[in-house]
Amino acid sequence: MKKSIFKIGITVMMLLQANTISAQVPEKEPVDADEMAYQIGMAQCKGLTDYLIDSQNVNFAFMDLFIKGVKDGISQVKDPEKNTYMAGTQIGRQIAQQMLPMINKELYGESSVVTISTEEFLKGFFDGLDSTPEAIAAAVEKANQMMEDFKIQNR
């Protein structure tokens, strides 16, 4: 019985002490929602400058245009017509800056000035937009085979 009373006494003392400790912790100021939004915005820029320079070829001499583009992109995202146009510009940039250089490098090598026809590429690309998945799958197979044959012929 003495052990039970002792355990109860220890438990009560621990609870009282815990309550005292928690009462001594100062309350934090409420979070300012605007300050939080600002800090989150700043945090999203981590690595952005390098990405914009290295992957998007952004020239920071025209930063005001970049900022205008960001604002337009945010304000126009709910307009289906403008949203579609902006998606087209993004894909166009990817084609020009990533796809075509990669294809040209694979076919002609690192330092070649010879390139595939952008006009013909775009004709095929636009036709592919209106094609069935089966037609696109067939084009993938045919393109892969033609590229392989081309590399063999041009060794």
Side-chain angles (χ1 to χ4, degrees), residues 9-140:
I10 295 290
T11 303
V12 169
M13 284 178 37
M14 289 174 62
L15 288 172
L16 288 172
Q17 187 175 16
N19 198 16
T20 304
I21 291 171
S22 66
Q24 293 173 353
V25 174
E27 284 191 34
K28 289 191 172 194
E29 292 287 321
V31 173
D32 180 310
D34 288 341
E35 174 67 15
M36 180 176 62
Y38 176 85
Q39 294 301 327
I40 292 170
M42 287 280 290
Q44 294 307 304
C45 289
K46 181 180 180 184
L48 181 62
T49 302
D50 291 339
Y51 169 76
L52 291 173
I53 292 169
D54 297 341
S55 299
Q56 299 296 312
N57 297 321
V58 169
N59 182 333
F60 280 91
F62 306 109
M63 183 53 83
D64 56 328
L65 292 174
F66 174 77
I67 291 169
K68 181 184 181 317
V70 170
K71 289 178 179 179
D72 287 350
I74 289 172
S75 68
Q76 296 173 0
V77 75
K78 292 185 180 176
D79 180 332
E81 194 172 307
K82 289 179 181 173
N83 196 35
T84 302
Y85 173 78
M86 293 190 68
T89 62
Q90 289 174 340
I91 297 300
R93 288 172 48 87
Q94 286 180 325
I95 289 170
Q97 293 178 345
Q98 296 169 358
M99 288 181 196
L100 289 175
M102 181 184 67
I103 293 166
N104 288 323
K105 180 180 173 185
E106 185 173 338
L107 292 174
Y108 300 109
E110 187 77 43
S111 60
S112 179
V113 293
V114 180
T115 62
I116 66 169
S117 167
T118 301
E119 186 177 324
E120 290 301 315
F121 174 90
L122 288 175
K123 284 181 186 177
F125 184 83
F126 296 144
D127 285 346
L129 292 174
D130 290 328
S131 295
T132 65
E134 295 80 19
I136 293 171
V140 168

Side-chain angles (χ1 to χ4, degrees), residues 106-108 146-155:
E106 185 173 338
L107 292 174
Y108 300 109
M146 292 176 81
M147 289 174 71
E148 194 60 38
D149 292 345
F150 179 85
K151 288 190 267 185
I152 291 170
Q153 293 169 2
N154 291 288
R155 284 188 182 170

